[in-house]
Amino acid sequence: MMWMQDVEYTDFIYWQETETFINGVASTSGSVELFFHEKVDRDSSLVIYDGKEVDLTQEHTFIDIQKEGITQLVYILKDVDGYALQEGEKTILLDTTMPDIILKVKNQTLLDTLPLEKDEIVHVQILEENMEEIHVYVDDKEVEVEGLEFDVSVHKENRELKIICKDIAGNEVERRMAILPIVYPESTLHKTIYTKENHFELKLNSMCTQPYRLHVYCDSKYYYSLDLENTDHALLDLSKNGQYTFVVEHKEYPQFKKKLDGTVFYSNIKPVISLQASTQLSNKDVAVNVTMDAPYMESGYIEIELNGETRRYPISQTFILSAMDNQDLIYNVHAYVKDAFGHETRDEVRVRIDRKAPVSNLYIDNEPVQNRMEIKKIPNINYVLGDLDASMRVEYYLNDERMNMDVEKIFNRMKKDDVLKVITFTTDALFNLEKKQYEFVFVPEKEVEMVSKSEQKMETDEIVEFERIWIVNDHNEVVLKENKQRVQKASKPVIHYTRKKNKVQIWVKEKLDYVLVNGKKVHIDKDVMGHDFVEISLKKRKTKIEVKAINDVNESAILKKEEVRNKIVRMSFVQKFWMKIRCLFKL
């Protein structure tokens, strides 16, 4: 558009209404037609535009405006007599540029749409100096503004912001901006959900009509995204163990995003609970430790079953199973854990606490002995243990004197009315102790012979067997009637040991228990006669040999030797020849 001072934007000019002798009308073609008052003599007048004289001889005088902006028109107007009517200058503005309207929200330039999450202030800046009119409308309601830079308040209920600008050159622009209220989809998940299913349907309160993406995060790390537009739910793939959270983001305006309420925990890992008893067999209190890894435990307990009665306790790190005097108890301990995902885990342990003393019985001639009894001959004592793993220690007292010998030898010393006291100490595998005491009074019958036998090993490796016959005399005393002894010869095994040059041969008729060469066992073979046989090569300078042999009666013989290896002297052919000559002359 083009503008000139005192220009009437009409199709004709009323000269009587203006005090100037020159005027003009701007056309859309970019030129201005000059009009002069009737008193103006064109031939004697002078008009200069942009430094060039304008030809006034034509009936219609046009000046071509080519420069954008302001140019000057200088004139000197005279009448026919040469007198000056008017002189001066006029400003011509050529403005073909439309006003530029810039809209911003928080320094972010807006285009055709304003996505609105909440009430905002739109900053408007109009880039035009020669502004004539500015009209601002919010939903067709005009808003008063001042200046070329101002703020306009818009709300989520508004739908359009319209601005109309017109400059003095007649350039007019209209800027419309749609207001898009941002409505976030909301899920029905308002709490934490625990699931062991690897799929989950996330439901929305309503159909999502705006273009949104659902971003899925697992343990705060981005996992994947789903499209929510035109749907009211999302089917989630929970293929990782962890905590799932959700964020919705506008596809067209990604600066608008929101975290949805609710959390989904997924796990296919069962909780762990383990019972570990310090021992499963004891005669003392037993500690049971509980090891547990159940971060999302929902319920759990410990059950202890004893004598058919079960009691339930909360889970603790350690608990004690008590021992009870003279009782053999079996505890069945059961642990149970269930987590928030529905996974269940169990463990159990069985503990026996035995503080019951072992049971032993003493039998004389296959009859049980209760406490005190009379004996008339050497008793046939038999001890019976109720526990196969128990062991017994027996102490004998003859007339309250401790006797460190077997019953037969003690009985050989007994006289009429002597008291033999037997005390038994029975211990089971858990060191539970039973102590019992028995008393026997010796009342021998007359004319009854009693025979006792014993063996004794002599220093000469001979075994002497003794047989004594006892009778009761008229004074009711036990006396020795006959004493027999028989000598049995017992010989130790013989180790046959032979050395030939640097080889040693060892064999026995009985059995070789082991053969050690320099402390290491060597393999034992059989010779052609079936005897145990070993042949040793003397490879080292000194060789230590140890041999042990045993016979059928477990008699053993040990032989120790230290052999020195002979040096081998090698002779030359000449030496061997002279050796033979010397032998011949000796012959």
Side-chain angles (χ1 to χ4, degrees):
M1 297 293 290
M2 187 166 53
W3 174 83
M4 189 175 76
Q5 289 178 344
D6 301 328
V7 172
E8 287 286 344
Y9 291 100
T10 59
D11 294 335
F12 55 91
I13 298 176
Y14 298 96
W15 294 106
Q16 65 272 19
E17 296 179 1
T18 181
E19 296 178 356
T20 182
F21 286 90
I22 186 172
N23 212 328
V25 176
S27 67
T28 58
S29 60
S31 61
V32 175
E33 184 178 0
L34 297 179
F35 294 94
F36 298 94
H37 195 273
E38 60 184 7
K39 294 182 180 181
V40 175
D41 179 24
R42 293 190 176 195
D43 293 336
S44 59
S45 297
L46 177 64
V47 176
I48 299 174
Y49 174 68
D50 198 19
K52 296 181 180 179
E53 185 177 350
V54 179
D55 184 8
L56 302 179
T57 60
Q58 302 295 327
E59 183 180 356
H60 296 282
T61 303
F62 293 93
I63 55 176
D64 191 16
I65 309 301
Q66 297 293 331
K67 292 183 178 180
E68 185 78 16
I70 296 175
T71 52
Q72 299 295 328
L73 178 72
V74 180
Y75 56 88
I76 300 174
L77 303 179
K78 296 180 180 182
D79 58 11
V80 293
D81 297 325
Y83 293 103
L85 295 175
Q86 189 178 19
E87 64 181 39
E89 62 181 24
K90 288 187 178 293
T91 300
I92 298 175
L93 172 66
L94 176 61
D95 186 359
T96 61
T97 304
M98 295 290 183
D100 190 10
I101 303 174
I102 298 176
L103 305 178
K104 289 185 178 182
V105 171
K106 297 177 181 178
N107 294 325
Q108 183 178 357
T109 303
L110 304 177
L111 297 177
D112 298 330
T113 304
L114 170 61
L116 204 60
E117 184 179 8
K118 57 184 179 179
D119 296 346
E120 288 287 359
I121 301 297
V122 180
H123 183 72
V124 182
Q125 184 180 9
I126 300 174
L127 303 179
E128 178 64 53
E129 296 180 357
N130 304 307
M131 189 57 59
E132 183 178 33
E133 296 180 5
I134 299 175
H135 300 281
V136 178
Y137 300 90
V138 177
D139 290 344
D140 296 329
K141 183 179 180 180
E142 188 169 3
V143 179
E144 292 185 4
V145 296
E146 294 182 0
L148 299 179
E149 191 169 349
F150 49 86
D151 293 331
V152 179
S153 297
V154 293
H155 309 281
K156 291 182 66 173
E157 294 79 14
N158 301 135
R159 292 296 177 265
E160 186 183 55
L161 173 63
K162 181 173 68 175
I163 300 174
I164 300 175
C165 296
K166 182 178 181 182
D167 58 16
I168 60 177
N171 297 307
E172 182 176 330
V173 64
E174 179 180 300
R175 174 77 181 274
R176 292 175 180 267
M177 185 180 64
I179 298 175
L180 175 65
I182 298 297
V183 180
Y184 292 106
E186 297 290 342
S187 74
T188 59
L189 184 66
H190 299 295
K191 60 180 182 179
T192 300
I193 297 296
Y194 298 88
T195 180
K196 59 182 178 181
E197 304 295 332
N198 57 5
H199 289 86
F200 182 80
E201 185 179 25
L202 181 67
K203 295 183 179 180
L204 305 179
N205 287 335
S206 60
M207 186 71 69
C208 180
T209 57
Q210 293 188 4
Y212 278 100
R213 289 189 184 92
L214 176 69
H215 297 314
V216 181
Y217 293 81
C218 181
D219 291 335
S220 301
K221 295 182 179 180
Y222 174 77
Y223 194 16
Y224 60 87
S225 298
L226 296 173
D227 194 349
L228 290 181
E229 190 172 6
N230 298 324
T231 184
D232 60 354
H233 70 281
L235 186 61
L236 305 178
D237 178 18
L238 309 178
S239 56
K240 289 184 178 180
N241 292 312
Q243 177 186 7
Y244 287 82
T245 53
F246 313 101
V247 175
V248 290
E249 179 184 279
H250 203 284
K251 290 195 290 187
E252 295 180 4
Y253 306 101
Q255 68 270 26
F256 294 100
K257 58 181 65 177
K258 179 183 178 182
K259 182 179 180 180
L260 297 183
D261 293 336
T263 302
V264 176
F265 279 88
Y266 165 72
S267 176
N268 59 1
I269 302 175
K270 287 187 175 183
V272 175
I273 187 167
S274 175
L275 299 175
Q276 298 163 338
S278 57
T279 178
Q280 290 185 278
L281 179 62
S282 177
N283 67 342
K284 298 180 182 179
D285 294 349
V286 174
V288 178
N289 294 325
V290 181
T291 302
M292 185 174 66
D293 183 11
Y296 303 101
M297 186 179 75
E298 185 178 85
S299 61
Y301 56 81
I302 301 292
E303 284 185 345
I304 301 177
E305 187 269 327
L306 177 63
N307 297 330
E309 182 180 350
T310 302
R311 292 186 179 182
R312 181 173 292 184
Y313 303 92
I315 295 177
S316 60
Q317 188 172 359
T318 304
F319 56 93
I320 304 298
L321 302 179
S322 300
M324 298 183 186
D325 290 339
N326 203 30
Q327 291 194 39
D328 186 359
L329 305 177
I330 296 179
Y331 288 91
N332 291 313
V333 185
H334 177 79
Y336 170 80
V337 167
K338 180 181 179 182
D339 63 13
F341 304 97
H343 299 301
E344 296 178 327
T345 301
R346 292 177 172 84
D347 193 22
E348 59 184 356
V349 66
R350 180 184 177 96
V351 177
R352 179 181 178 184
I353 303 180
D354 182 8
R355 293 196 71 169
K356 188 174 182 181
V359 177
S360 67
N361 291 289
L362 187 147
Y363 288 83
I364 296 292
D365 298 328
N366 297 325
E367 292 185 6
V369 177
Q370 299 299 327
N371 189 359
R372 185 182 178 98
M373 68 178 297
E374 294 180 351
I375 56 173
K376 298 180 180 180
K377 59 181 180 179
I378 185 169
N380 182 16
I381 298 177
N382 184 25
Y383 301 98
V384 178
L385 304 181
D387 188 349
L388 295 177
D389 294 329
S391 61
M392 177 182 285
R393 181 174 60 86
V394 183
E395 293 181 358
Y396 300 101
Y397 294 84
L398 181 58
N399 298 325
D400 294 329
E401 181 182 353
R402 175 76 179 270
M403 306 299 289
N404 293 322
M405 58 185 68
D406 57 30
V407 176
E408 292 182 354
K409 294 180 180 180
I410 296 173
F411 187 77
N412 292 339
R413 298 170 177 262
M414 291 182 68
K415 298 179 181 180
K416 186 176 182 297
D417 296 328
D418 282 350
V419 177
L420 175 63
K421 185 185 297 183
V422 179
I423 302 177
T424 61
F425 301 88
T426 306
T427 307
D428 61 13
L430 299 176
F431 303 103
N432 295 311
L433 176 64
E434 177 209 55
K435 180 181 179 182
K436 282 188 176 182
Q437 179 174 312
Y438 307 91
E439 289 186 358
F440 303 97
V441 180
F442 184 50
V443 183
E445 294 181 354
K446 293 183 179 180
E447 298 180 358
V448 175
E449 293 183 351
M450 292 169 284
V451 179
S452 64
K453 295 182 179 181
S454 62
E455 290 182 353
Q456 183 176 356
K457 187 175 181 180
M458 310 301 289
E459 293 182 356
T460 57
D461 294 333
E462 295 178 341
I463 299 176
V464 179
E465 182 180 295
F466 296 94
E467 181 176 313
R468 298 179 179 90
I469 301 175
W470 305 82
I471 62 171
V472 181
N473 61 17
D474 296 337
H475 301 289
N476 202 23
E477 295 176 345
V478 178
V479 295
L480 181 62
K481 176 183 178 182
E482 188 177 355
N483 186 8
K484 299 179 182 180
Q485 64 180 19
R486 184 167 57 90
V487 178
Q488 294 180 351
K489 291 185 177 181
S491 60
K492 292 184 178 181
V494 178
I495 301 175
H496 300 272
Y497 185 95
T498 305
R499 174 172 175 174
K500 294 181 180 181
K501 295 184 179 181
N502 287 328
K503 288 190 177 181
V504 173
Q505 294 180 345
I506 302 170
W507 65 277
V508 295
K509 290 182 178 181
E510 291 82 2
K511 180 182 179 181
L512 285 175
D513 187 21
Y514 63 80
V515 177
L516 300 179
V517 178
N518 292 327
K520 296 183 179 179
K521 280 189 176 182
V522 298
H523 180 68
I524 300 173
D525 295 319
K526 296 284 187 180
D527 61 10
V528 294
M529 301 298 292
H531 301 145
D532 285 0
F533 173 80
V534 172
E535 184 175 83
I536 303 169
S537 295
L538 304 178
K539 297 180 179 180
K540 295 186 177 181
R541 189 176 68 84
K542 285 186 179 182
T543 303
K544 293 182 180 181
I545 301 173
E546 182 179 336
V547 183
K548 181 181 179 181
I550 58 175
N551 59 15
D552 295 337
V553 292
N554 280 335
E555 292 290 339
S556 63
I558 297 178
L559 175 65
K560 296 183 179 180
K561 290 279 189 176
E562 183 173 284
E563 300 289 352
V564 178
R565 187 174 184 272
N566 296 329
K567 294 184 178 180
I568 300 175
V569 179
R570 299 185 180 275
M571 294 186 295
S572 65
F573 174 77
V574 175
Q575 289 174 330
K576 290 180 180 180
F577 176 76
W578 282 109
M579 184 68 71
K580 289 181 179 181
I581 295 297
R582 292 174 63 186
C583 290
L584 289 174
F585 279 105
K586 284 182 181 181
L587 292 174

